[in-house]
Amino acid sequence: MSTDIVVPALGESVTEATIAKWLKKPGDKVDRDEAVVELETDKVTLEVNASEAGVLEDIVVSEGETVEVGAKLGSIGAGSGAAASSKEAASSDTRAAETKSAETSGSEKGGSTAQLAADASQGSDDDTAVMPAARKMIADNKLDVGKIAGTGKDGRITKQDVQDHLDGKGGAAKPSGGKAEAKRDSGGTMTIDIPAFERPATTDRPKKDREERVRMSKLRQTIARRLKEAQDTAAMLTTFNEVDMTAMKEVREAYKAGFEKKHGVRLGFMSFFIKACVQVLQELPAVNAEVDGTDIVYKNYYDIGVAVGTPQGLVVPVVRDCDRLSFAEVEQTINGYGKKARDGKLSMADLTGGTFTISNGGVYGSLMSTPILNPPQSAILGMHKIQDRPMAINGKVEIRPMMYLALSYDHRIVDGKEAVTFLVRVKEYLEDPQRLLLEV
């Protein structure tokens, strides 16, 4: 009896997904609860696990195709490996027939395919990737792969790389080595003849060998759509300020060892920023609100999104009810989200909602930027790199660790006065961290 593999419920408002990768192939043994296929939605990547142990019988939806919730992806049959052996034997027979046919074809051209493949594989111990068209040219010309420089993505050897290698054997035209000559005419005027530059001979490079077309992932499509939506919908402006990080760095340095020992997580700067933002959002509720048609929706809770970069794109997991969390709980939540993001385990619940967002471009070295709103939110705070700069302190020049802050906001709901006040108040809390504990 077979068990169908179906698309599970994907979360609120998500009705379809794309097959990102099959982790098993037909005939493979599958254990109960073992991941079989990866699905990609517009928000997260998730794995579909086998509900029963057995052998993957068939795959009915290929990688890259879009499926709806409940759709059948494949089936798992009973057995522990017999099916795999049968399919592998059939596959082996097919490959043997194809190899024999290819060798026969190659011998008609004066050499066996096996020999050409061996010639083409010389110097391939470095596992350099070779594009199919390039591999054929290498085999036809009996070239050494190790002597060909790859210019394609991730160092792949393209057809043009092989052609350039072949052209290089005959040498390329070099610029003229002639010298400039000065001459005077009968009137005494001097003219200088400069030899014309001779461009090296080149071949036309086919465009297809220099480009690679890859379909955008569901997540990247959603990011693109939402960012464009923010620009088209909101009256977006950005205001800047800077904060002296001296006091915060001193507090962190003094207590980080004891903090980590007691709570099992490192004390970072993000918890200070989140707690400071919550304090100011309570003072300026418009920054924590959103526009819904002709209404303004004020949020009396503080779910702060923290932008996290992943190989698939930017995601924004939400730290819930930050006004009720301690510094340790904030850091533990962020640390947990970071691990889930790296492992691709973020759920829809982790990414849903949020009343305000903090983005930290400083981890990548950004000194200043203008973050884009995360709709339907009305504001986003951008953190940046901490950099020592000379500052005027009490009439003297001192070197201080400074950070630029940027607040992008929707001018439809947040006035300039509120935006500027928000940054000034956040700056005050961060430069005097004790105020966060006293809430003054």
Side-chain angles (χ1 to χ4, degrees):
M1 180 177 178
S2 298
T3 302
D4 289 343
I5 305 170
V6 299
V7 180
L10 301 172
E12 183 181 357
S13 76
V14 181
T15 60
E16 63 180 22
T18 299
I19 306 299
K21 182 181 180 181
W22 278 97
L23 305 176
K24 297 288 184 177
K25 59 181 182 293
D28 283 354
K29 179 182 176 182
V30 178
D31 295 327
R32 182 184 178 86
D33 293 328
E34 183 178 7
V36 179
V37 60
E38 285 185 356
L39 299 181
E40 186 180 72
T41 72
D42 57 359
K43 294 185 178 180
V44 294
T45 298
L46 67 156
E47 296 176 342
V48 178
N49 298 329
S51 58
E52 299 291 341
V55 174
L56 182 60
E57 287 188 333
D58 63 348
I59 293 174
V60 298
V61 183
S62 303
E63 293 181 2
E65 294 188 31
T66 299
V67 290
E68 296 184 349
V69 173
K72 178 180 177 180
L73 304 177
S75 60
I76 298 174
S80 60
S85 299
S86 174
K87 289 181 179 293
E88 288 175 1
S91 177
S92 177
D93 292 342
T94 301
R95 287 196 300 269
E98 291 175 349
T99 302
K100 183 175 180 181
S101 175
E103 288 179 349
T104 302
S105 176
S107 62
E108 293 175 357
K109 297 180 180 180
S112 70
T113 301
Q115 181 60 44
L116 294 178
D119 292 337
S121 66
Q122 291 179 6
S124 62
D125 293 338
D126 59 352
D127 294 327
T128 302
V130 182
M131 301 299 286
R135 185 178 296 110
K136 183 177 185 302
M137 288 185 65
I138 292 172
D140 291 343
N141 293 278
K142 300 182 180 180
L143 302 177
D144 185 346
V145 176
K147 295 181 179 180
I148 303 175
T151 61
K153 184 178 180 181
D154 299 327
R156 295 188 180 112
I157 296 176
T158 66
K159 180 179 178 181
Q160 189 60 44
D161 293 330
V162 180
Q163 186 62 54
D164 290 343
H165 179 75
L166 291 171
D167 293 342
K169 290 182 178 180
K174 297 181 179 180
S176 173
K179 297 181 180 180
E181 297 182 2
K183 299 179 181 179
R184 288 185 183 275
D185 59 18
S186 58
T189 302
M190 178 179 288
T191 58
I192 301 177
D193 292 334
I194 301 177
F197 176 79
E198 296 181 11
R199 183 177 297 276
T202 59
T203 58
D204 292 334
R205 299 187 66 179
K207 189 175 182 180
K208 64 179 181 180
D209 288 339
R210 292 186 286 167
E211 296 183 347
E212 182 177 358
R213 184 179 293 271
V214 179
R215 183 180 177 83
M216 291 175 68
S217 66
K218 281 281 187 180
L219 177 59
R220 177 54 61 184
Q221 291 179 46
T222 300
I223 291 172
R225 185 181 69 252
R226 287 175 62 82
L227 294 183
K228 187 58 181 171
E229 174 189 330
Q231 289 183 320
D232 292 343
T233 304
M236 192 160 54
L237 294 177
T238 304
T239 185
F240 301 92
N241 211 317
E242 59 183 351
V243 58
D244 186 341
M245 301 288 286
T246 301
M248 201 186 313
K249 291 184 71 174
E250 290 174 349
V251 170
R252 182 171 178 264
E253 187 64 29
Y255 297 107
K256 68 178 182 180
F259 185 91
E260 185 171 2
K261 182 177 180 180
K262 180 176 180 179
H263 301 291
V265 64
R266 295 179 61 186
L267 176 61
F269 291 126
M270 186 59 77
S271 55
F272 288 91
F273 277 83
I274 286 179
K275 299 299 285 186
C277 286
V278 168
Q279 292 287 353
V280 186
L281 289 173
Q282 291 174 333
E283 300 171 19
L284 301 168
V287 185
N288 197 51
E290 69 178 58
V291 175
D292 184 12
T294 57
D295 296 332
I296 298 176
V297 182
Y298 291 97
K299 310 293 181 66
N300 297 319
Y301 56 95
Y302 306 92
D303 292 350
I304 309 299
V306 180
V308 177
T310 71
Q312 291 76 35
L314 187 73
V315 294
V316 187
V318 179
V319 183
R320 310 285 177 182
D321 295 318
C322 293
D323 56 323
R324 299 182 179 182
L325 301 181
S326 66
F327 278 75
E329 289 171 329
V330 170
E331 292 292 352
Q332 288 165 351
T333 304
I334 294 173
N335 188 62
Y337 279 148
K339 185 177 186 304
K340 292 175 73 173
R342 290 190 297 271
D343 297 339
K345 302 294 185 182
L346 286 172
S347 67
M348 296 298 299
D350 297 330
L351 304 171
T352 302
T355 61
F356 182 82
T357 296
I358 299 177
S359 177
N360 186 6
V363 296
Y364 304 111
S366 172
L367 188 61
M368 183 178 287
S369 66
T370 55
I372 298 179
L373 294 178
N374 182 20
Q377 297 171 22
S378 296
I380 178 173
L381 178 70
M383 300 167 55
H384 298 92
K385 177 183 177 181
I386 300 174
Q387 182 166 299
D388 287 345
R389 295 204 304 273
M391 303 296 294
I393 308 295
N394 297 323
K396 298 180 180 179
V397 176
E398 297 182 15
I399 303 300
R400 295 295 183 96
M402 304 299 294
M403 176 192 287
Y404 287 117
L405 299 180
L407 181 74
S408 291
Y409 60 98
D410 188 346
H411 210 342
R412 296 178 301 168
I413 183 174
V414 180
D415 293 331
K417 177 183 176 181
E418 291 173 306
V420 172
T421 301
F422 180 92
L423 274 190
V424 170
R425 294 289 288 139
V426 168
K427 169 186 171 71
E428 291 172 352
Y429 278 119
L430 296 176
E431 292 184 342
D432 189 4
Q434 290 85 347
R435 300 181 65 175
L436 291 174
L437 300 177
L438 299 176
E439 299 183 0
V440 296

